[in-house]
Amino acid sequence: MKNYTLLFATCLLALFLITGCSPALSVKLDANCAVSMTFESGTGAELSKTFTALTGKQMGTIQTGPAVSSLKAAGLTASGISQNGSQFSLSTGPDNADAILPKLPDAIRIEGSAVGKGSLSFNLSPETAQYIISLLPEETASYTELFMAPLFTGETMSADEYTDLVAAVYGQQLADELTSSRFTLNISVPGYVTSVSVPSALNATVTKNNTKAVISLPLSALLTLSQPHSILVFFDNSRYTN
């Protein structure tokens, strides 16, 4: 049984929390346990205006070079990056799973035999998020403090309480944007997806079709995580079709 561990979302997690309102992360795992991915920020208009008011900077003019350097230091290859106004996209890989960020072996885990059943698990937790932020340049990392997300502060707060806090500090329009925002994780695996397990606390919706699974959850649920939660995708790689 092969057992590979990786964390591929180093800067991406921080970037979608900083710049996204309906962010999406697409992940492709190949038969050799190499990972390629694409991130789209989905930045909302209210978040963009609020960010500019707080920092004096336009989101579209943020320097992305330091973020790319952080990805490289974590063992990830930035293969493409672009900005269109406040919208940001980044592609990485393919990168070997067993060479990526070995200091966080439980963040994401791939298990499977050469032919047979396999699984890909994602462990979401405040500890993981805070470690990811520590890898970012200081200025970039400091932006996460602006929105007081319990995921980073360590406070215990419900999604509704956090939305109310955002409304009180930054206005109802940004709170409304947060309420309607979702994070979408698109996963492609080297085999037929047999099942997907997502904790009920994440309030996620799940669809699967052949080699792909799509998990969509409220962004507020992710930003208010106080305990570790794992998302698992199970697949049969004897029916490999990628």
Side-chain angles (χ1 to χ4, degrees):
M1 188 75 123
K2 292 183 180 179
N3 187 343
Y4 296 93
T5 60
L6 72 155
L7 177 67
F8 61 72
T10 7
C11 293
L12 298 184
L13 177 59
L15 285 169
F16 82 65
L17 293 175
I18 295 167
T19 67
C21 257
S22 291
L25 179 64
S26 298
V27 180
K28 182 176 181 180
L29 173 69
D30 70 19
N32 297 315
C33 285
V35 176
S36 300
M37 58 188 169
T38 301
F39 167 76
E40 301 288 342
S41 68
T43 309
E46 286 302 320
L47 179 60
S48 182
K49 288 193 298 184
T50 302
F51 181 88
T52 299
L54 292 171
T55 67
K57 297 181 180 181
Q58 297 290 330
M59 280 188 166
T61 60
I62 296 174
Q63 296 298 313
T64 56
V68 174
S69 296
S70 295
L71 284 168
K72 185 177 180 180
L76 296 167
T77 305
S79 55
I81 186 167
S82 64
Q83 289 180 310
N84 181 11
S86 61
Q87 305 304 315
F88 175 85
S89 64
L90 174 67
S91 299
T92 69
D95 294 300
N96 292 327
D98 55 355
I100 300 174
L101 217 62
K103 291 185 179 180
L104 286 178
D106 294 326
I108 296 180
R109 186 176 295 275
I110 301 168
E111 296 184 348
S113 58
V115 177
K117 296 180 180 179
S119 67
L120 172 61
S121 65
F122 301 77
N123 184 32
L124 306 176
S125 72
E127 292 75 18
T128 300
Q130 290 160 16
Y131 181 78
I132 288 169
I133 293 299
S134 75
L135 298 175
L136 296 173
E138 183 176 354
E139 182 181 16
T140 305
S142 68
Y143 294 147
T144 61
E145 299 174 2
L146 297 176
F147 298 102
M148 305 165 293
L151 183 64
F152 300 112
T153 65
E155 297 180 66
T156 300
M157 191 181 300
S158 70
D160 288 342
E161 289 172 332
Y162 177 58
T163 301
D164 289 343
L165 175 63
V166 171
V169 176
Y170 298 119
Q172 189 60 46
Q173 287 181 306
L174 183 59
D176 290 343
E177 193 170 79
L178 173 64
T179 299
S180 63
S181 298
R182 301 185 71 84
F183 169 55
T184 303
L185 181 61
N186 301 285
I187 303 169
S188 177
V189 294
Y192 188 88
V193 176
T194 55
S195 63
V196 181
S197 174
V198 182
S200 59
L202 296 180
N203 296 317
T205 59
V206 178
T207 59
K208 58 185 180 69
N209 181 22
N210 296 325
T211 64
K212 297 181 179 180
V214 179
I215 298 115
S216 175
L217 59 145
L219 189 59
S220 58
L222 185 60
L223 290 172
T224 54
L225 279 182
S226 59
Q227 300 295 326
H229 292 289
S230 292
I231 296 173
L232 293 96
V233 178
F234 298 93
F235 58 92
D236 183 350
N237 56 20
S238 67
R239 302 168 65 181
Y240 178 69
T241 57
N242 278 12

